[in-house]
Amino acid sequence: MVVILKENPDSGRISDLTAWLESLGLEVHPTVGKVQTILGLVGDTSKVDIELIRALDIVQDVKRISQPYKEANRAFHPDNTVVTIGDASFGDGSCPIIAGPCSVESREQLLEVALRVKAAGATLLRGGAFKPRTSPYAFQGLHADGIKLLLEVKKETGLPIVTELMDLSQLDLFDEVDVIQIGARNMQNFELLRQVGHTDKPILLKRGLANTLQELLMSAEYIMAGGNHRVILCERGIRTFETATRNTLDLSAIPMLHEMTHLPVIVDPSHASGIARLVKPMALAATACGADGLMIEVHNDPAHAKCDGPQSLTPGAFEDLAEAVRRIKPFAYKA
Amino acid sequence: MVVILKENPDSGRISDLTAWLESLGLEVHPTVGKVQTILGLVGDTSKVDIELIRALDIVQDVKRISQPYKEANRAFHPDNTVVTIGDASFGDGSCPIIAGPCSVESREQLLEVALRVKAAGATLLRGGAFKPRTSPYAFQGLHADGIKLLLEVKKETGLPIVTELMDLSQLDLFDEVDVIQIGARNMQNFELLRQVGHTDKPILLKRGLANTLQELLMSAEYIMAGGNHRVILCERGIRTFETATRNTLDLSAIPMLHEMTHLPVIVDPSHASGIARLVKPMALAATACGADGLMIEVHNDPAHAKCDGPQSLTPGAFEDLAEAVRRIKPFAYKA
Amino acid sequence: MVVILKENPDSGRISDLTAWLESLGLEVHPTVGKVQTILGLVGDTSKVDIELIRALDIVQDVKRISQPYKEANRAFHPDNTVVTIGDASFGDGSCPIIAGPCSVESREQLLEVALRVKAAGATLLRGGAFKPRTSPYAFQGLHADGIKLLLEVKKETGLPIVTELMDLSQLDLFDEVDVIQIGARNMQNFELLRQVGHTDKPILLKRGLANTLQELLMSAEYIMAGGNHRVILCERGIRTFETATRNTLDLSAIPMLHEMTHLPVIVDPSHASGIARLVKPMALAATACGADGLMIEVHNDPAHAKCDGPQSLTPGAFEDLAEAVRRIKPFAYKA
Amino acid sequence: MVVILKENPDSGRISDLTAWLESLGLEVHPTVGKVQTILGLVGDTSKVDIELIRALDIVQDVKRISQPYKEANRAFHPDNTVVTIGDASFGDGSCPIIAGPCSVESREQLLEVALRVKAAGATLLRGGAFKPRTSPYAFQGLHADGIKLLLEVKKETGLPIVTELMDLSQLDLFDEVDVIQIGARNMQNFELLRQVGHTDKPILLKRGLANTLQELLMSAEYIMAGGNHRVILCERGIRTFETATRNTLDLSAIPMLHEMTHLPVIVDPSHASGIARLVKPMALAATACGADGLMIEVHNDPAHAKCDGPQSLTPGAFEDLAEAVRRIKPFAYKA
């Protein structure tokens, strides 16, 4: 951390500041120019509140050099974290596929989709029981009944399930759920993050629509600070000025996150573009740049899906995608 | 709503679609060109799931003409909603000021700030007991103790209080709170919105960092659909590529929202820029373009505030701001 | 400037780097931690190519502390630059208004608008002869004929004129033009900037749709490096995810730029929102936060304007705006 | 095109509008609801000025259904345009690589890089003689001398050359240049686009940092309207709030543009991220989702490159990338 002081600071004030910084366990190295004075801080700055220092009246600016996240930081944990659920391992160099409908609508729908995606190679089943919808008048999911259907289909197919938790009041229903998803709109719902950090379940944490990679890792840090280290990060598109696609899939996030963190990073190409025809090319691109997994929306009847139909693949199109991913995987980027 | 069909659609399919749209209570008016066919839909389309129609295989695109929000829509409620709390009325043409520290730190701090801002003309006291912090290692607020201090200071000063609710599990503590704030990061925490829609308290709803005005109104709609119509909207800056300021305060949102909705719209210039020196000019600008109120961070000792110090004003600077706002108000824009 | 070295750097390499930095006229102050080494650079770093240093293999990162612009920097020129054209002075605490049609269409149109805006208090006339249009099929302006009409109307009304230069090949036509406008899309047309830096005319430089304040100042620096110091900066809205308005007017740019630079800063509220109804409230807001001038589109018949009609005011609406600006000005922010 | 009228429009005004629209060669189909009236326009709307209609006082809004570009539109030209230069064909299903240094620095540098990238499989040589630099104090290129060196090295290696034209005054120097590059900052320099539309050279058109795909195609339309149909589009990263990478590479632009246009689309992963380590994974991802070519910065000594060193690959790293691209290509997405 580097503290840049205002011009011609009072030397007594510098001594006070230096003493206070040292009391936080940091070494302080001053650089004194004719006009500008800089304090270089050495030590564990991850728990220093940068805003507190910036507020001091002799300080002009503070710049972090080391990252503010620690548990999630690859610098301190060089080896990949591998999160294994059933037959799927995220972070070991493979690229498992999570597939299923956007929302659980009926036993028939869910079972049919589950059997088809399993046959095509998916190793986890996704399906929403609680649906975050922009409009209060849109379909909000089957709630407890949806979870029940997911567990029935899990039993019948052997596929572990991933489903979204929207509020802590729903947590009791998630006992037999295999992976808890935290949605993009809840990426900074800090109370929710804290609580799932006390569960023993893998957490699939989606990047918020306007959150930086550093903020995504700070949210992972909330979960990990509670003791739960099985966090899977998910890139799902960010908000930009472009309107041809719903969001802009940020694939450079994959190699960039692989440098910043040891956690596995998967990609959801369905929500990013909101257009079914773009799902396959973007799934191949994600695989090519080293994604640790994919999450794909599949519906047996996309034209009548209760939500997000336009981005869902048919089971047939999913088979084609899964096969294409399998073929391209051996030629993908390895760090 | 306008439904644009794919080229050369099958006429039987068009009849099916038309019948289905009519069953939703809509009138359907087709425009048949040589290549392109368009269906104009007339009626209450606010509860139609646009995604459902877009997903149909004969449909190329759907465009909304009327807005998807109804309770919040000025078209259906031409008169301003006025939300009154104590001496403050939001939406009646005045510009009350909510002031106080970012977070409640101690009885002394809160009482001193409250007395000073009251003397300077603030009519509501703000202060965070539950603080959404990006880092799990940063100060998170005094929680129940913070609420207790707020209620004590309310008693002592007579100032009604505004404080943020981060999770439904905290709701019991808010019984005597006057205004519940929903923070920017929770603007699309739909379960939280739904539940505060069942309370009888005014809700101060902050715009998310990357949310459109339409989405802000859809979130207000969640609250209003539960029966609570006392919603105050708050612009607090959006995320852009600019880095000189923390966020970009979107002041055109004020007159734009005044066209779209009858709800009052206030501005928080402290969080938007993150720089104390910009708070006064931006408060004046907000007033000038018709804001229904302001929300200002004030701390008796900004350099030692436990959070957001760099954007807090001293009580003296607040007095100066409040006076300047009072003087400019008569010359502000009126729709 | 602070250079952060990679972990455990070779001491010989550090000496080489230090020697090279010193050869650029900089003092080098090292901070050596157990793991991290930082070099603080003191001196004139405005002409140091930061990318060159960042590329060195022992360097992890470089952070600027002082700004990369010099001529435009308030730190080196504490007093406001005042640019005077005819009766208008930008930067002296007043708020002159530039008004006129988006594009010059005919003598009658231009003269009528000019007389009306002059009567209402505008002190400069704007009008486009060369129009940057997104589509090659849209009206592109009257070119040389447009300039001719501007000069005729200047003669008749005494109003100095502001008009946009799109390409160096047009420069000869600008001999009698009073202020050369560089449009948002040309803000980083560096060859154009360089050449107008060799003219003796004031330059109105519009901020690009996706450019930072620092980049705007670097573009001003291009002009000033050529010897032309009469640069007026213009905020005209930036591109964000919001779609209710065409662009997002960034008014915090006004007080922020006033800190960063001594150059005057004006606001164009017409182009920012693209909606005539928002022009007046945003003009008042801009005035309130300290704008050094305004630029307003006025057309005698907005419904038949050849371009940008929806954002043009009628002469009557402009009179109302100018009067409101005059009344609010005494209560505006002063740094 | 759909014209939405304001509520309860005067029927005489509707007749006038209808007559005028018909005079533009359009069929007009009205949809009359109780409150809302919509006019569906059928015919060639690509040359209709949407702003002109929007400005009419009985009009509430206008929405385009067909695209405003015509020459670039795949709907009217279903077959891919293939642009062939020497041994490289863009748009025929192959993925040629353009490689070379960011800027031409010396004969030795350029020749060495050219020989190395040719041996590794590159079929075009890039190198900047005119460099758009944010700072007037940064290296601006060798200008005419740079073009001369490029032509010498072209002669010696047989590699056709691609280089950027920044201003029309430089055009005479480009006689023997094989491909004219229009840089991101000039994507909407309409005069430049118009003029290169009258040359007989292929144009490599880079997407602006904050431009939509539709605007990119409108800029291509400017070139094509002049008669030059050999346009190669290039995605090079857009500006977002993310700061970990310089820009955000928008790879979904590849399949999206392939739907919108028949023109070839290539990717420049070097400028997008600004980080050499991300170039290979992003080149693989671009290939995987169907890019028609790649443009890669290579420098024999990146640590001493005069510009953009941090994103340049060494010749050895380029060989590795080219080989990886070749191996993944057969498994890439095909529309």
Side-chain angles (χ1 to χ4, degrees):
Chain A
M1 195 174 275
V2 173
V3 179
I4 300 127
L5 301 185
K6 286 189 186 148
E7 291 186 9
N8 306 315
D10 177 83
S11 64
R13 304 293 310 275
I14 301 183
S15 305
D16 290 354
L17 174 57
T18 301
W20 178 66
L21 290 167
E22 287 173 347
S23 78
L24 298 174
L26 302 170
E27 286 174 50
V28 181
H29 297 258
T31 293
V32 184
K34 263 174 218 136
V35 182
Q36 196 91 60
T37 295
I38 297 168
L39 305 182
L41 308 188
V42 179
D44 176 9
T45 60
S46 68
K47 298 186 181 178
V48 172
D49 194 336
I50 192 169
E51 297 301 329
L52 212 70
I53 300 177
R54 191 171 281 145
L56 299 170
D57 55 7
I58 61 163
V59 171
Q60 181 191 301
D61 202 1
V62 188
K63 293 180 187 287
R64 272 197 184 280
I65 285 159
S66 57
Q67 302 301 339
Y69 45 88
K70 205 169 167 176
E71 300 290 341
N73 197 335
R74 186 175 292 269
F76 305 125
H77 309 262
D79 292 338
N80 280 357
T81 284
V82 178
V83 181
T84 301
I85 308 117
D87 294 339
S89 283
F90 298 90
D92 70 347
S94 66
C95 185
I97 305 182
I98 305 168
C102 177
S103 67
V104 177
E105 293 168 24
S106 72
R107 195 174 188 287
E108 294 62 38
Q109 170 239 20
L110 190 63
L111 185 58
E112 184 187 332
V113 172
L115 291 169
R116 293 291 298 271
V117 301
K118 186 182 179 184
T123 46
L124 281 102
L125 177 65
R126 59 152 289 161
F130 297 93
K131 297 301 307 170
R133 301 301 302 277
T134 310
S135 168
Y137 309 124
F139 174 65
Q140 312 270 331
L142 295 180
H143 296 187
D145 288 345
I147 301 283
K148 218 178 106 198
L149 291 176
L150 282 164
L151 296 176
E152 282 176 32
V153 170
K154 172 187 176 181
K155 216 169 179 177
E156 212 147 333
T157 61
L159 286 175
I161 60 174
V162 184
T163 193
E164 180 168 352
L165 175 71
M166 278 179 64
D167 189 83
L168 287 174
S169 59
Q170 304 152 356
L171 192 52
D172 287 348
L173 295 166
F174 280 63
D175 262 5
E176 295 173 62
V177 164
D178 300 277
V179 181
I180 298 177
Q181 178 178 316
I182 302 295
R185 286 177 181 76
N186 273 323
M187 194 203 92
Q188 293 194 318
N189 184 333
F190 300 118
E191 201 53 36
L192 192 64
L193 297 175
R194 196 191 316 278
Q195 293 304 328
V196 299
H198 296 127
T199 68
D200 61 353
K201 290 186 188 306
I203 308 300
L204 194 160
L205 177 65
K206 287 195 152 188
R207 180 183 184 183
L209 280 82
N211 288 108
T212 61
L213 299 183
Q214 182 174 300
E215 286 170 340
L216 174 61
L217 292 178
M218 290 310 285
S219 289
E221 192 83 7
Y222 258 94
I223 300 169
M224 298 171 88
N228 186 350
H229 286 68
R230 293 199 291 164
V231 179
I232 301 166
L233 305 172
C234 181
E235 160 63 29
R236 47 77 69 217
I238 58 173
R239 197 159 258 193
T240 69
F241 58 83
E242 178 60 62
T243 55
T245 47
R246 185 162 58 183
N247 295 128
T248 299
L249 190 65
D250 176 9
L251 285 184
S252 50
I254 312 302
M256 196 71 224
L257 282 171
H258 279 153
E259 291 202 356
M260 297 165 85
T261 186
H262 50 91
L263 296 172
V265 186
I266 71 169
V267 173
D268 173 350
S270 302
H271 280 82
S273 67
I275 301 173
R277 297 181 308 272
L278 299 196
V279 174
K280 185 180 170 187
M282 299 321 289
L284 293 181
T287 307
C289 64
D292 296 306
L294 296 169
M295 186 157 182
I296 308 286
E297 263 189 40
V298 181
H299 197 283
N300 53 349
D301 185 7
H304 291 92
K306 288 226 169 132
C307 71
D308 281 341
Q311 74 202 25
S312 285
L313 299 186
T314 59
F318 175 72
E319 280 161 27
D320 174 52
L321 176 151
E323 175 61 19
V325 167
R326 220 165 6 249
R327 293 180 66 211
I328 209 172
K329 183 72 185 75
F331 306 99
Y333 179 73
K334 284 171 206 77
Chain B
M1 196 173 273
V2 173
V3 179
I4 300 128
L5 301 186
K6 286 186 186 150
E7 291 187 9
N8 307 313
D10 177 82
S11 64
R13 303 295 309 275
I14 299 182
S15 305
D16 289 354
L17 174 58
T18 302
W20 178 65
L21 290 167
E22 287 172 348
S23 77
L24 297 174
L26 302 170
E27 284 174 51
V28 181
H29 296 258
T31 293
V32 184
K34 263 176 217 136
V35 182
Q36 196 93 58
T37 295
I38 298 167
L39 305 181
L41 308 188
V42 178
D44 176 8
T45 59
S46 68
K47 298 186 181 178
V48 172
D49 193 337
I50 193 170
E51 297 302 327
L52 211 70
I53 299 177
R54 191 172 280 144
L56 298 170
D57 54 6
I58 61 163
V59 172
Q60 183 192 300
D61 202 0
V62 187
K63 290 178 189 287
R64 271 197 186 279
I65 286 160
S66 55
Q67 302 299 342
Y69 46 88
K70 206 171 167 175
E71 300 290 341
N73 197 335
R74 187 174 294 267
F76 305 126
H77 308 263
D79 292 337
N80 279 358
T81 285
V82 177
V83 180
T84 300
I85 307 117
D87 294 338
S89 282
F90 298 90
D92 70 348
S94 65
C95 185
I97 306 183
I98 306 168
C102 177
S103 67
V104 178
E105 294 168 24
S106 71
R107 196 176 186 288
E108 293 63 38
Q109 169 238 21
L110 190 62
L111 185 58
E112 183 188 334
V113 172
L115 291 169
R116 294 290 299 270
V117 300
K118 187 182 177 182
T123 46
L124 281 102
L125 177 66
R126 59 151 291 160
F130 297 93
K131 298 301 307 170
R133 302 301 304 276
T134 309
S135 167
Y137 309 123
F139 174 64
Q140 312 271 330
L142 296 180
H143 296 188
D145 288 345
I147 300 283
K148 219 178 108 199
L149 291 175
L150 281 164
L151 296 177
E152 283 177 32
V153 171
K154 171 188 175 180
K155 218 171 175 174
E156 211 145 334
T157 61
L159 285 175
I161 59 174
V162 184
T163 193
E164 179 169 352
L165 175 71
M166 279 180 63
D167 190 82
L168 287 174
S169 60
Q170 304 153 355
L171 192 53
D172 286 348
L173 296 166
F174 280 63
D175 261 5
E176 295 173 63
V177 164
D178 299 277
V179 180
I180 298 177
Q181 177 178 318
I182 301 294
R185 286 177 180 77
N186 272 324
M187 194 203 91
Q188 292 195 318
N189 185 335
F190 300 116
E191 202 52 35
L192 192 64
L193 297 174
R194 196 191 315 278
Q195 293 302 327
V196 299
H198 295 126
T199 68
D200 61 353
K201 290 186 189 306
I203 307 299
L204 195 161
L205 177 64
K206 288 196 152 188
R207 179 182 184 184
L209 281 81
N211 287 107
T212 62
L213 300 182
Q214 181 174 301
E215 286 169 341
L216 175 60
L217 292 178
M218 292 309 286
S219 289
E221 192 83 7
Y222 259 94
I223 299 169
M224 299 172 88
N228 187 350
H229 285 70
R230 295 200 290 165
V231 179
I232 300 166
L233 305 172
C234 181
E235 161 63 28
R236 45 77 72 219
I238 58 173
R239 198 159 257 194
T240 69
F241 58 84
E242 178 59 65
T243 54
T245 47
R246 185 164 57 181
N247 294 128
T248 299
L249 190 65
D250 176 9
L251 285 184
S252 50
I254 312 303
M256 196 72 224
L257 282 171
H258 279 154
E259 292 202 356
M260 297 165 85
T261 186
H262 50 92
L263 296 171
V265 186
I266 71 170
V267 173
D268 173 349
S270 303
H271 280 84
S273 68
I275 300 172
R277 298 181 307 272
L278 299 196
V279 174
K280 184 180 169 188
M282 298 322 288
L284 293 180
T287 307
C289 65
D292 296 305
L294 295 169
M295 187 159 183
I296 308 287
E297 264 189 40
V298 181
H299 197 282
N300 53 350
D301 186 7
H304 291 94
K306 288 226 168 130
C307 70
D308 282 340
Q311 73 203 24
S312 285
L313 299 186
T314 59
F318 176 73
E319 280 160 29
D320 174 52
L321 175 150
E323 175 60 20
V325 166
R326 225 175 350 258
R327 293 180 65 212
I328 207 171
K329 184 71 186 75
F331 306 99
Y333 178 72
K334 284 171 206 77
Chain C
M1 196 174 274
V2 173
V3 179
I4 301 128
L5 302 184
K6 287 189 185 148
E7 292 187 10
N8 306 314
D10 178 83
S11 62
R13 303 295 309 275
I14 300 183
S15 305
D16 290 353
L17 174 57
T18 301
W20 179 67
L21 291 167
E22 288 172 346
S23 77
L24 298 174
L26 303 169
E27 285 175 49
V28 182
H29 296 258
T31 293
V32 184
K34 264 176 215 135
V35 182
Q36 197 91 60
T37 295
I38 297 168
L39 306 181
L41 308 189
V42 179
D44 176 8
T45 59
S46 68
K47 298 187 181 178
V48 173
D49 194 336
I50 193 169
E51 298 301 328
L52 211 71
I53 300 177
R54 192 172 279 143
L56 299 170
D57 56 6
I58 64 163
V59 171
Q60 183 191 298
D61 202 1
V62 187
K63 291 178 191 286
R64 271 198 185 278
I65 286 159
S66 55
Q67 301 301 341
Y69 44 88
K70 206 170 167 178
E71 301 290 341
N73 197 335
R74 187 176 291 271
F76 305 125
H77 309 264
D79 292 338
N80 279 356
T81 285
V82 178
V83 180
T84 301
I85 307 118
D87 294 338
S89 282
F90 298 90
D92 69 349
S94 65
C95 185
I97 306 183
I98 306 167
C102 178
S103 66
V104 177
E105 295 168 23
S106 70
R107 196 175 187 287
E108 293 65 36
Q109 170 239 21
L110 190 63
L111 184 58
E112 183 187 333
V113 172
L115 291 170
R116 294 290 300 270
V117 301
K118 186 182 178 184
T123 44
L124 282 102
L125 176 65
R126 58 151 290 159
F130 296 93
K131 299 301 306 171
R133 302 300 303 277
T134 310
S135 167
Y137 309 124
F139 174 64
Q140 313 270 333
L142 295 181
H143 297 184
D145 289 343
I147 301 284
K148 217 179 109 201
L149 291 176
L150 282 164
L151 295 177
E152 282 176 32
V153 171
K154 172 186 174 182
K155 215 169 178 177
E156 209 145 338
T157 62
L159 285 175
I161 59 174
V162 184
T163 193
E164 181 169 351
L165 175 70
M166 279 179 65
D167 190 82
L168 287 175
S169 59
Q170 304 152 355
L171 192 52
D172 287 347
L173 295 166
F174 281 63
D175 261 6
E176 295 172 63
V177 164
D178 299 277
V179 181
I180 297 177
Q181 176 178 316
I182 302 295
R185 285 176 181 78
N186 272 324
M187 194 202 91
Q188 294 194 318
N189 184 335
F190 300 117
E191 202 52 35
L192 191 63
L193 297 174
R194 195 191 315 278
Q195 294 304 328
V196 298
H198 295 127
T199 68
D200 61 353
K201 291 185 188 305
I203 307 299
L204 195 161
L205 177 64
K206 288 196 149 187
R207 180 183 184 184
L209 282 81
N211 286 108
T212 62
L213 300 183
Q214 182 175 300
E215 287 169 340
L216 174 60
L217 293 178
M218 292 308 287
S219 289
E221 192 82 7
Y222 259 95
I223 299 169
M224 298 171 88
N228 186 349
H229 285 68
R230 294 199 292 164
V231 179
I232 302 166
L233 305 173
C234 180
E235 161 62 28
R236 46 80 68 220
I238 57 173
R239 199 159 256 194
T240 69
F241 58 83
E242 178 60 62
T243 54
T245 46
R246 185 164 57 183
N247 294 128
T248 299
L249 189 66
D250 176 9
L251 285 184
S252 49
I254 312 302
M256 198 69 225
L257 282 171
H258 279 154
E259 293 202 354
M260 298 164 86
T261 186
H262 51 91
L263 296 173
V265 186
I266 71 169
V267 173
D268 173 349
S270 303
H271 280 83
S273 67
I275 300 174
R277 299 181 306 273
L278 299 195
V279 173
K280 184 181 169 188
M282 300 321 289
L284 293 181
T287 307
C289 64
D292 296 306
L294 294 170
M295 185 157 182
I296 309 286
E297 262 188 42
V298 181
H299 197 283
N300 53 349
D301 185 7
H304 291 94
K306 288 224 169 131
C307 72
D308 282 339
Q311 74 203 22
S312 284
L313 299 187
T314 59
F318 176 72
E319 280 160 29
D320 175 53
L321 176 150
E323 175 60 21
V325 166
R326 220 165 4 247
R327 293 181 65 212
I328 209 170
K329 183 72 187 73
F331 307 99
Y333 178 72
K334 284 172 205 74
Chain D
M1 196 173 275
V2 173
V3 178
I4 300 128
L5 301 185
K6 286 190 185 146
E7 291 187 9
N8 307 315
D10 177 82
S11 63
R13 305 294 310 273
I14 300 183
S15 304
D16 290 354
L17 175 58
T18 301
W20 179 65
L21 291 167
E22 286 172 347
S23 77
L24 298 174
L26 302 169
E27 285 174 49
V28 181
H29 296 257
T31 293
V32 183
K34 263 175 217 137
V35 182
Q36 196 92 58
T37 295
I38 297 167
L39 305 182
L41 308 188
V42 178
D44 176 9
T45 59
S46 68
K47 297 187 181 178
V48 173
D49 193 337
I50 193 168
E51 297 301 329
L52 211 71
I53 300 178
R54 191 172 279 142
L56 299 170
D57 55 6
I58 62 163
V59 171
Q60 183 192 299
D61 202 2
V62 187
K63 290 179 190 286
R64 272 196 184 279
I65 285 159
S66 55
Q67 302 299 340
Y69 45 88
K70 206 170 165 178
E71 301 290 341
N73 197 335
R74 186 175 293 269
F76 305 125
H77 308 264
D79 292 337
N80 280 357
T81 285
V82 177
V83 180
T84 300
I85 308 118
D87 293 339
S89 284
F90 297 91
D92 69 348
S94 66
C95 185
I97 307 182
I98 305 167
C102 178
S103 66
V104 177
E105 294 168 23
S106 70
R107 196 175 188 287
E108 293 62 39
Q109 169 239 23
L110 190 63
L111 184 60
E112 183 186 334
V113 173
L115 291 170
R116 292 292 298 271
V117 300
K118 185 181 180 185
T123 46
L124 282 101
L125 176 66
R126 60 151 290 160
F130 296 93
K131 297 302 305 171
R133 301 301 303 276
T134 309
S135 167
Y137 310 123
F139 174 64
Q140 313 270 332
L142 296 181
H143 297 186
D145 288 344
I147 301 283
K148 215 178 111 200
L149 291 176
L150 281 164
L151 296 176
E152 282 177 32
V153 170
K154 171 187 174 181
K155 215 169 178 176
E156 210 146 337
T157 61
L159 284 176
I161 60 174
V162 184
T163 194
E164 181 169 350
L165 175 70
M166 279 179 66
D167 189 82
L168 287 175
S169 59
Q170 304 152 356
L171 192 53
D172 286 347
L173 296 166
F174 280 63
D175 261 6
E176 294 173 63
V177 164
D178 299 278
V179 180
I180 297 176
Q181 177 177 317
I182 302 295
R185 286 177 182 78
N186 273 324
M187 193 203 92
Q188 293 194 318
N189 184 334
F190 299 118
E191 202 51 37
L192 192 63
L193 297 175
R194 195 192 315 279
Q195 294 303 328
V196 299
H198 295 128
T199 67
D200 61 352
K201 290 186 188 305
I203 307 299
L204 195 160
L205 177 64
K206 287 195 153 189
R207 180 182 184 184
L209 281 81
N211 287 108
T212 62
L213 299 184
Q214 182 175 300
E215 287 171 338
L216 174 60
L217 292 179
M218 290 310 286
S219 289
E221 192 82 7
Y222 259 94
I223 299 169
M224 298 171 89
N228 186 350
H229 285 69
R230 293 198 293 164
V231 179
I232 301 166
L233 305 172
C234 181
E235 160 64 28
R236 48 77 72 220
I238 58 173
R239 197 159 257 196
T240 69
F241 58 84
E242 178 60 62
T243 54
T245 45
R246 184 164 57 182
N247 295 128
T248 298
L249 190 66
D250 176 9
L251 285 184
S252 50
I254 312 303
M256 197 70 224
L257 281 172
H258 279 153
E259 291 202 356
M260 298 165 85
T261 186
H262 50 92
L263 296 172
V265 186
I266 71 169
V267 173
D268 173 349
S270 302
H271 280 83
S273 69
I275 300 173
R277 298 181 308 272
L278 299 197
V279 174
K280 184 181 170 187
M282 299 321 289
L284 292 180
T287 307
C289 64
D292 296 306
L294 296 169
M295 186 156 182
I296 308 286
E297 263 189 40
V298 180
H299 197 283
N300 52 349
D301 185 6
H304 291 93
K306 288 224 169 133
C307 71
D308 282 339
Q311 72 204 22
S312 285
L313 299 186
T314 59
F318 175 72
E319 280 160 27
D320 175 52
L321 175 149
E323 174 62 19
V325 167
R326 218 162 10 244
R327 291 179 67 211
I328 208 171
K329 183 71 185 78
F331 306 99
Y333 179 72
K334 284 171 206 75

